[in-house]
Amino acid sequence: MAASALTKLINKNLVLRTSQNLARCQSTSANPELAVEGTVPVVTALDISAGLTDEQKEFQSLALNFANNEMFPNMHKWDQEEIFPVEVLRKAAELGFGAVYTSDEYGGTGLSRLDASIIFEALSRGCVSTAAYLTIHNMVTWMIDTYGTEAQRSKWVPIMASMEKLGSYCLTEPGSGSDAASLSTTARREGNKFILNGSKAFISGAGATDVYLVMCRTGGQGPKGISCLLVEKGMKGLHFGKKEKKMGWNSQPTRAVIFEDCEVPVENVIGVEGQGFNIAMSGLNGGRINIASTSLGAADHCLDIAKEHLKVRKQFGKPLSDTQHNQFQLAQMATKLVASRSMVRNAARALDSKHADTVALCSMAKLFATDTCFDVVNTALQMHGGYGYLKDYPVEQFLRDIRVNQILEGTNQVMQILISRSVLAQ
C-alpha cells in the first residue's frame, strides 16, 4: 500500500530529528545548556498550534487544509441532503487519517493519542459530523489492530486504513445504554460459528459500512460474559433498521443493527471470549478524547466566526465589537476554549503514558470540553441574533452537531460517576 502523506511527513521528520539529536548529543557535554535547546514548552493557548512540535504543526496544517478545502465548503450540503461523503473520507485516508493511532505494521499511521486529538480537532473545523464518523472508524481499526490475531490484523487493517472498508462500533442497545454490562445481544457457539441474536441502537454508519465490531454475550451475566465479534456486511442474518432522522450528525447514517440467527465464524472473535467488555472500555477512553476534540474544533471555528461578525455588524452606529458586553463574552469564550483544549490534551497525554488516573482524566476532559464548548458555540449563535438561527449561517449546524457529544461515549452524567469514584477512592 502506498505511503500516505502523513506517513511520509513522519518519516521525513524522523530523519531530521535523528540528525538533530546526534548533533545535540555531540555538543551537550561541552555545553550542558544546549540539552534543552529546541524543547517545545507544553503550553496550550488560543492559537490552535501553541505548544506543538514542528511535526505536530505540520500534520495539523495538513488536517486544517483538508478541513478548509474538502469539508467546510460541503458541510451544509452534506447536512441538508444527508449525504455520507465516502469519497471525501477516502481522500482523508489517503492523507493517513483513516488509522491515525493504529500501529504502522499493517498500514496504520502510528501516531499518538495526543496527535490524533490535534488532527480530529482540526478536521472538525470543517465538519463535526464527518470528523466524528472518522473518529469512530479509527477506533474500530485500532481495536482490530490491538486485540486481533495476526491473520485478522493483516486482513483488515490495510483495507480499514485506506477506508476501502468502513467500520462501525456496536455496543449500545435499546435496553442498555449507560449500563453497557447489561447488554442482551447473545452469541451461541455452534461448531465453528456463533449464532448471533439481538439488536444494537444508534449505530453510526450502519447500513453503509462494511465491518461491525459487535459486543455480545457469549457467557454468563455481567462484564465477563461479553465478547467482541467482527461481523461483515452481507453475512446471513444481519439486518438494519430505518435510517434515523436526527438533530445533527446528518452526514453519517444512523440505524439499528439487527441480528436474527446471524452466522459469524469463530475466527471472527476479536481478542478472546470474555474480553469484549474490556475491549469496549479501552476503546471508550480514547473515544472520549476523540469526541471532545470534535467539540474543540467546533468551538474554535465558531469563536472565529463570532469575532468577525462582531467586527462587521453595526448597531447603534458602531460595531458590536465595541460593546463591552460582547467583549466580555468573547473573553469568556476564549477562556473556556483554552481551558477545554488544555484538559483534552492533558487527558490524551495521560492515555499515551498509561497514567494511573487515565479513566478519570478522560472522563473529566469529555465532561468539561463537551459541556463548555457547547456553551461557546451557543454564545456565538446568540451573538448573531436572528441570523444565528438561520441555516444560511454555519453556527447553528455546529451547535446541532456537537450537542450529541454530551450524550455519546458515555453520557456526561456517567462521566461524573466515573470521576466521583476516582475521587472517593483516593
Side-chain angles (χ1 to χ4, degrees), residues 255-325:
R255 294 182 175 92
V257 180
I258 303 161
F259 310 100
E260 295 177 337
D261 291 334
C262 180
E263 299 181 5
V264 184
V266 168
E267 58 264 28
N268 280 28
V269 174
I270 301 296
V272 297
E273 286 188 48
Q275 193 182 7
F277 189 78
N278 290 338
I279 293 173
M281 293 303 103
S282 69
L284 286 176
N285 283 329
R288 286 162 185 160
I289 293 171
N290 293 345
I291 285 301
S293 300
T294 69
S295 288
L296 292 176
D300 188 68
H301 197 164
C302 287
L303 177 58
D304 285 346
I305 293 170
K307 178 180 65 177
E308 294 307 313
H309 175 75
L310 294 182
K311 290 178 180 178
V312 173
R313 175 73 168 162
K314 291 185 177 181
Q315 288 290 281
F316 305 105
K318 62 181 180 181
L320 290 177
S321 58
D322 288 353
T323 304
Q324 190 177 62
H325 171 75

Coordinates of all heavy atoms in Angstrom, one line a residue, residues 255-325:
R255 N -28.5 3.9 12.2 CA -29.6 2.9 12.1 C -29.4 1.9 13.3 O -28.3 1.8 13.8 CB -29.5 2.1 10.8 CG -29.8 2.9 9.5 CD -29.8 2.0 8.3 NE -30.2 2.7 7.1 CZ -29.4 3.3 6.3 NH1 -28.1 3.4 6.5 NH2 -29.8 3.9 5.2
A256 N -30.5 1.1 13.5 CA -30.3 -0.1 14.4 C -29.7 -1.2 13.6 O -29.8 -1.3 12.3 CB -31.7 -0.5 14.9
V257 N -28.9 -2.0 14.2 CA -28.3 -3.2 13.6 C -28.9 -4.4 14.3 O -28.9 -4.5 15.5 CB -26.8 -3.2 13.8 CG1 -26.1 -4.4 13.2 CG2 -26.1 -1.9 13.2
I258 N -29.5 -5.2 13.5 CA -30.4 -6.3 13.9 C -29.8 -7.7 13.5 O -29.4 -7.9 12.4 CB -31.8 -6.2 13.4 CG1 -32.4 -4.8 13.8 CG2 -32.7 -7.3 13.9 CD1 -33.5 -4.4 12.9
F259 N -29.7 -8.6 14.5 CA -29.1 -9.9 14.2 C -30.2 -11.0 14.5 O -30.8 -11.1 15.6 CB -27.9 -10.2 15.2 CG -26.9 -9.1 15.2 CD1 -26.9 -8.1 16.2 CD2 -26.0 -8.9 14.2 CE1 -26.0 -7.1 16.3 CE2 -25.1 -7.9 14.2 CZ -25.1 -7.0 15.2
E260 N -30.5 -11.7 13.4 CA -31.5 -12.8 13.5 C -30.9 -14.1 13.1 O -30.7 -14.3 11.9 CB -32.7 -12.4 12.7 CG -33.5 -11.2 13.1 CD -34.7 -10.9 12.3 OE1 -34.7 -11.2 11.0 OE2 -35.6 -10.2 12.8
D261 N -30.4 -14.8 14.0 CA -29.6 -16.1 13.7 C -28.5 -15.7 12.8 O -28.2 -16.5 11.8 CB -30.5 -17.1 13.2 CG -31.5 -17.7 14.2 OD1 -31.2 -17.6 15.4 OD2 -32.6 -18.2 13.8
C262 N -27.8 -14.6 13.0 CA -26.7 -14.2 12.2 C -25.5 -15.1 12.4 O -25.1 -15.4 13.6 CB -26.3 -12.8 12.5 SG -24.9 -12.1 11.5
E263 N -25.0 -15.7 11.4 CA -23.9 -16.7 11.5 C -22.5 -16.0 11.3 O -22.2 -15.4 10.3 CB -24.1 -17.8 10.4 CG -25.4 -18.5 10.6 CD -25.5 -19.6 9.5 OE1 -24.6 -19.8 8.7 OE2 -26.6 -20.3 9.5
V264 N -21.7 -16.1 12.4 CA -20.4 -15.5 12.4 C -19.3 -16.5 12.6 O -19.4 -17.3 13.6 CB -20.3 -14.4 13.5 CG1 -19.0 -13.7 13.5 CG2 -21.5 -13.4 13.4
P265 N -18.3 -16.6 11.8 CA -17.3 -17.6 12.0 C -16.5 -17.4 13.3 O -16.3 -16.3 13.8 CB -16.3 -17.4 10.8 CG -17.1 -16.7 9.8 CD -18.1 -15.9 10.6
V266 N -16.1 -18.5 14.0 CA -15.4 -18.4 15.2 C -14.1 -17.6 15.1 O -13.7 -16.9 16.0 CB -15.1 -19.9 15.7 CG1 -14.1 -19.8 16.9 CG2 -16.4 -20.6 16.1
E267 N -13.5 -17.7 13.9 CA -12.3 -16.9 13.7 C -12.5 -15.4 13.7 O -11.5 -14.6 13.7 CB -11.5 -17.4 12.5 CG -12.3 -17.2 11.2 CD -13.0 -18.5 10.8 OE1 -13.3 -19.3 11.7 OE2 -13.2 -18.7 9.6
N268 N -13.7 -15.0 13.8 CA -14.0 -13.5 13.8 C -14.1 -13.0 15.2 O -14.5 -11.8 15.4 CB -15.3 -13.2 13.1 CG -15.1 -13.2 11.6 OD1 -14.2 -13.8 11.0 ND2 -15.9 -12.4 10.9
V269 N -13.8 -13.8 16.2 CA -13.7 -13.3 17.6 C -12.5 -12.4 17.7 O -11.4 -12.7 17.3 CB -13.6 -14.4 18.6 CG1 -13.4 -13.8 20.0 CG2 -14.9 -15.3 18.7
I270 N -12.7 -11.1 18.2 CA -11.6 -10.2 18.4 C -11.1 -10.4 19.9 O -12.0 -10.3 20.8 CB -12.0 -8.8 18.1 CG1 -12.5 -8.6 16.7 CG2 -10.8 -7.8 18.4 CD1 -11.5 -8.9 15.6
G271 N -9.8 -10.6 20.1 CA -9.4 -11.0 21.4 C -9.7 -12.4 21.7 O -9.8 -13.3 20.9
V272 N -10.1 -12.6 23.0 CA -10.6 -14.0 23.4 C -12.0 -13.8 23.9 O -12.4 -12.7 24.3 CB -9.6 -14.6 24.5 CG1 -8.2 -14.8 23.9 CG2 -9.6 -13.7 25.7
E273 N -12.7 -14.9 24.0 CA -14.0 -14.9 24.6 C -14.0 -14.4 26.0 O -13.1 -14.7 26.8 CB -14.6 -16.3 24.6 CG -15.1 -16.8 23.2 CD -15.8 -18.1 23.3 OE1 -16.8 -18.2 24.1 OE2 -15.5 -19.0 22.5
G274 N -14.9 -13.5 26.3 CA -15.0 -12.9 27.7 C -14.2 -11.6 27.8 O -14.2 -11.0 28.8
Q275 N -13.5 -11.2 26.7 CA -12.7 -10.0 26.8 C -13.4 -8.8 26.2 O -12.9 -7.7 26.3 CB -11.4 -10.2 26.0 CG -10.3 -9.2 26.3 CD -9.0 -9.4 25.4 OE1 -9.0 -10.3 24.6 NE2 -8.0 -8.6 25.7
G276 N -14.6 -9.0 25.7 CA -15.3 -7.9 25.0 C -15.5 -6.6 25.8 O -15.3 -5.5 25.3
F277 N -15.9 -6.8 27.0 CA -16.2 -5.6 27.8 C -14.9 -4.8 28.0 O -15.0 -3.5 28.0 CB -16.8 -6.0 29.2 CG -17.3 -4.8 29.9 CD1 -18.6 -4.2 29.6 CD2 -16.6 -4.2 31.0 CE1 -19.1 -3.1 30.3 CE2 -17.1 -3.2 31.7 CZ -18.3 -2.6 31.4
N278 N -13.8 -5.5 28.3 CA -12.5 -4.7 28.5 C -12.1 -4.0 27.2 O -11.6 -2.9 27.2 CB -11.4 -5.7 29.0 CG -11.6 -6.2 30.4 OD1 -12.3 -5.5 31.2 ND2 -11.1 -7.3 30.7
I279 N -12.3 -4.7 26.1 CA -12.0 -4.1 24.8 C -12.9 -2.8 24.6 O -12.4 -1.8 24.2 CB -12.3 -5.1 23.6 CG1 -11.3 -6.2 23.7 CG2 -12.2 -4.4 22.3 CD1 -11.5 -7.3 22.7
A280 N -14.2 -2.9 24.9 CA -15.1 -1.8 24.7 C -14.7 -0.6 25.6 O -14.7 0.5 25.2 CB -16.5 -2.2 25.1
M281 N -14.3 -0.9 26.8 CA -14.0 0.2 27.8 C -12.6 0.8 27.4 O -12.5 2.0 27.5 CB -13.9 -0.3 29.2 CG -15.2 -0.8 29.8 SD -16.5 0.5 29.8 CE -17.5 0.0 28.4
S282 N -11.7 0.0 26.9 CA -10.4 0.6 26.5 C -10.6 1.5 25.3 O -9.9 2.5 25.1 CB -9.4 -0.5 26.1 OG -9.8 -1.2 25.0
G283 N -11.5 1.1 24.4 CA -11.8 2.0 23.3 C -12.5 3.3 23.7 O -12.2 4.3 23.1
L284 N -13.3 3.2 24.7 CA -14.1 4.4 25.1 C -13.2 5.5 25.7 O -13.5 6.7 25.6 CB -15.2 4.0 26.1 CG -16.4 3.3 25.5 CD1 -17.4 2.9 26.5 CD2 -17.1 4.2 24.4
N285 N -12.1 5.1 26.4 CA -11.2 6.1 26.9 C -10.7 7.0 25.8 O -10.8 8.2 25.9 CB -10.0 5.5 27.7 CG -10.4 4.9 29.1 OD1 -11.3 5.5 29.7 ND2 -9.8 3.9 29.5
G286 N -10.2 6.4 24.8 CA -9.8 7.2 23.6 C -10.9 7.8 22.9 O -10.8 8.9 22.4
G287 N -12.1 7.1 22.8 CA -13.2 7.7 22.2 C -13.7 9.0 22.8 O -14.2 9.9 22.1
R288 N -13.6 9.0 24.1 CA -14.0 10.3 24.8 C -13.1 11.4 24.5 O -13.5 12.6 24.3 CB -14.0 10.0 26.3 CG -15.2 9.1 26.7 CD -15.1 8.5 28.1 NE -16.3 7.6 28.3 CZ -16.3 6.6 29.1 NH1 -15.3 6.3 29.9 NH2 -17.4 5.8 29.2
I289 N -11.8 11.2 24.3 CA -10.9 12.2 23.9 C -11.2 12.6 22.5 O -11.2 13.8 22.1 CB -9.4 11.7 24.0 CG1 -9.0 11.5 25.5 CG2 -8.5 12.7 23.4 CD1 -7.7 10.9 25.7
N290 N -11.4 11.7 21.6 CA -11.8 12.0 20.2 C -13.0 12.8 20.1 O -13.0 13.8 19.3 CB -12.0 10.7 19.4 CG -10.7 9.8 19.3 OD1 -9.6 10.3 19.5 ND2 -10.9 8.6 18.9
I291 N -14.1 12.5 20.8 CA -15.3 13.2 20.7 C -15.1 14.6 21.3 O -15.6 15.6 20.7 CB -16.4 12.5 21.4 CG1 -16.9 11.3 20.5 CG2 -17.6 13.4 21.7 CD1 -17.4 11.7 19.1
A292 N -14.4 14.7 22.4 CA -14.2 16.0 23.0 C -13.4 16.9 22.0 O -13.6 18.1 21.9 CB -13.4 15.9 24.3
S293 N -12.5 16.3 21.2 CA -11.7 17.0 20.3 C -12.6 17.6 19.2 O -12.3 18.7 18.7 CB -10.6 16.1 19.7 OG -9.8 15.6 20.7
T294 N -13.6 16.9 18.8 CA -14.5 17.5 17.8 C -15.3 18.7 18.3 O -15.6 19.6 17.6 CB -15.5 16.4 17.2 OG1 -16.5 16.1 18.3 CG2 -14.8 15.2 16.8
S295 N -15.6 18.7 19.6 CA -16.2 19.8 20.2 C -15.2 21.0 20.2 O -15.6 22.2 20.0 CB -16.6 19.5 21.7 OG -17.8 18.7 21.7
L296 N -13.9 20.7 20.4 CA -12.9 21.8 20.4 C -12.9 22.5 19.0 O -12.9 23.7 18.9 CB -11.5 21.2 20.7 CG -11.2 20.7 22.1 CD1 -9.9 20.1 22.1 CD2 -11.4 21.9 23.1
G297 N -12.9 21.6 18.0 CA -12.9 22.2 16.6 C -14.1 23.1 16.3 O -13.9 24.1 15.7
A298 N -15.3 22.6 16.7 CA -16.5 23.4 16.5 C -16.4 24.8 17.3 O -16.7 25.8 16.7 CB -17.7 22.7 17.0
A299 N -15.9 24.7 18.5 CA -15.9 25.9 19.3 C -14.8 26.9 18.8 O -15.0 28.1 18.7 CB -15.5 25.6 20.8
D300 N -13.7 26.3 18.3 CA -12.6 27.2 17.8 C -13.1 27.9 16.5 O -12.9 29.1 16.3 CB -11.4 26.3 17.4 CG -10.2 27.1 17.0 OD1 -9.6 27.8 17.9 OD2 -9.8 27.0 15.8
H301 N -13.8 27.2 15.6 CA -14.3 27.8 14.4 C -15.4 28.8 14.7 O -15.4 29.9 14.1 CB -14.8 26.7 13.4 CG -14.9 27.2 12.0 ND1 -15.1 26.4 11.0 CD2 -14.9 28.5 11.5 CE1 -15.2 27.1 9.8 NE2 -15.1 28.4 10.1
C302 N -16.3 28.5 15.6 CA -17.4 29.4 15.9 C -16.9 30.7 16.6 O -17.5 31.7 16.4 CB -18.4 28.7 16.8 SG -19.4 27.5 15.8
L303 N -15.8 30.6 17.4 CA -15.3 31.8 18.0 C -14.7 32.7 16.9 O -14.9 33.9 17.0 CB -14.1 31.4 19.0 CG -13.4 32.5 19.7 CD1 -14.3 33.4 20.4 CD2 -12.3 32.0 20.6
D304 N -14.0 32.1 15.9 CA -13.5 32.9 14.8 C -14.7 33.6 14.1 O -14.6 34.7 13.7 CB -12.7 32.0 13.8 CG -11.4 31.6 14.4 OD1 -10.9 32.2 15.4 OD2 -10.8 30.7 13.8
I305 N -15.7 32.8 13.8 CA -16.9 33.3 13.1 C -17.5 34.5 13.9 O -17.9 35.5 13.3 CB -17.9 32.2 12.8 CG1 -17.3 31.2 11.8 CG2 -19.2 32.8 12.2 CD1 -18.2 29.9 11.7
A306 N -17.7 34.3 15.2 CA -18.3 35.3 16.0 C -17.5 36.6 16.1 O -18.0 37.7 16.0 CB -18.6 34.7 17.4
K307 N -16.2 36.4 16.2 CA -15.3 37.5 16.2 C -15.4 38.4 15.0 O -15.5 39.6 15.1 CB -13.9 37.0 16.4 CG -12.8 38.1 16.5 CD -11.4 37.5 16.6 CE -11.0 36.6 15.5 NZ -9.6 36.1 15.6
E308 N -15.4 37.8 13.8 CA -15.5 38.5 12.6 C -16.9 39.2 12.5 O -17.0 40.3 12.0 CB -15.3 37.6 11.4 CG -13.8 37.1 11.3 CD -12.8 38.2 11.4 OE1 -13.0 39.2 10.7 OE2 -11.8 38.1 12.2
H309 N -17.9 38.5 12.9 CA -19.3 39.0 12.8 C -19.4 40.3 13.7 O -20.0 41.3 13.3 CB -20.3 38.0 13.3 CG -21.7 38.5 13.4 ND1 -22.5 38.7 12.3 CD2 -22.5 38.9 14.5 CE1 -23.7 39.2 12.7 NE2 -23.7 39.3 14.0
L310 N -18.8 40.3 14.9 CA -18.9 41.4 15.8 C -18.1 42.6 15.2 O -18.5 43.8 15.5 CB -18.3 41.1 17.2 CG -19.1 40.0 18.0 CD1 -18.4 39.9 19.3 CD2 -20.5 40.4 18.2
K311 N -17.1 42.4 14.4 CA -16.3 43.5 13.8 C -17.1 44.1 12.7 O -17.0 45.3 12.5 CB -15.0 42.9 13.3 CG -14.0 42.5 14.4 CD -12.7 42.0 13.7 CE -11.7 41.6 14.7 NZ -10.5 41.0 14.1
V312 N -17.9 43.3 12.0 CA -18.6 43.8 10.8 C -20.0 44.4 11.1 O -20.4 45.4 10.6 CB -18.7 42.7 9.8 CG1 -19.6 43.1 8.6 CG2 -17.3 42.3 9.3
R313 N -20.7 43.7 12.0 CA -22.1 44.0 12.3 C -22.2 45.3 13.1 O -21.5 45.4 14.1 CB -22.8 42.9 13.0 CG -24.2 43.1 13.5 CD -25.2 43.1 12.4 NE -26.6 43.1 12.9 CZ -27.6 43.4 12.3 NH1 -27.5 43.7 11.0 NH2 -28.8 43.3 12.8
K314 N -23.0 46.3 12.7 CA -23.1 47.5 13.4 C -24.6 47.7 14.0 O -25.5 47.3 13.3 CB -22.8 48.7 12.5 CG -21.4 48.8 12.1 CD -21.1 50.1 11.3 CE -19.6 50.2 11.0 NZ -19.3 51.5 10.2
Q315 N -24.6 48.2 15.2 CA -25.9 48.5 15.8 C -25.6 49.8 16.6 O -24.5 50.0 17.2 CB -26.4 47.4 16.8 CG -26.9 46.2 16.0 CD -28.2 46.4 15.3 OE1 -29.3 46.5 15.9 NE2 -28.1 46.6 14.0
F316 N -26.6 50.7 16.6 CA -26.5 52.0 17.3 C -25.2 52.8 16.9 O -24.5 53.4 17.7 CB -26.4 51.8 18.9 CG -27.6 51.0 19.4 CD1 -27.5 49.7 19.7 CD2 -28.9 51.6 19.5 CE1 -28.5 48.9 20.2 CE2 -30.0 50.9 19.9 CZ -29.8 49.5 20.3
G317 N -24.9 52.6 15.6 CA -23.9 53.4 15.0 C -22.5 53.0 15.2 O -21.5 53.7 14.9
K318 N -22.3 51.8 15.8 CA -20.9 51.3 16.0 C -20.9 49.8 15.9 O -21.9 49.1 16.1 CB -20.4 51.7 17.4 CG -21.2 51.2 18.5 CD -20.6 51.8 19.8 CE -21.4 51.3 21.1 NZ -20.8 51.8 22.3
P319 N -19.7 49.2 15.6 CA -19.6 47.7 15.5 C -19.9 47.1 16.9 O -19.7 47.6 17.9 CB -18.1 47.5 15.2 CG -17.6 48.8 14.6 CD -18.4 49.9 15.3
L320 N -20.5 45.9 16.8 CA -20.8 45.2 18.0 C -19.6 44.8 18.8 O -19.7 44.7 20.1 CB -21.6 43.9 17.7 CG -23.0 44.0 17.1 CD1 -23.5 42.6 16.7 CD2 -23.9 44.7 18.1
S321 N -18.4 44.8 18.2 CA -17.2 44.5 18.9 C -16.8 45.6 19.9 O -16.0 45.4 20.7 CB -16.0 44.3 17.9 OG -15.9 45.4 17.1
D322 N -17.4 46.8 19.7 CA -17.1 47.9 20.6 C -17.9 47.9 21.9 O -17.7 48.6 22.8 CB -17.4 49.3 19.9 CG -16.3 49.6 18.8 OD1 -15.3 48.9 18.7 OD2 -16.5 50.6 18.1
T323 N -18.9 47.0 21.9 CA -19.8 46.9 23.1 C -19.1 46.0 24.2 O -18.6 44.9 23.9 CB -21.1 46.2 22.7 OG1 -21.7 46.9 21.6 CG2 -22.0 46.1 23.9
Q324 N -19.0 46.6 25.3 CA -18.2 45.9 26.4 C -18.8 44.5 26.7 O -18.1 43.6 27.0 CB -18.2 46.8 27.7 CG -17.2 46.3 28.7 CD -17.2 47.2 29.9 OE1 -18.2 47.3 30.6 NE2 -16.0 47.7 30.2
H325 N -20.1 44.4 26.7 CA -20.7 43.1 27.0 C -20.2 42.0 26.0 O -19.9 40.9 26.4 CB -22.3 43.2 26.9 CG -22.9 41.9 27.0 ND1 -23.1 41.2 28.2 CD2 -23.5 41.1 26.0 CE1 -23.7 40.0 27.9 NE2 -24.0 40.0 26.6

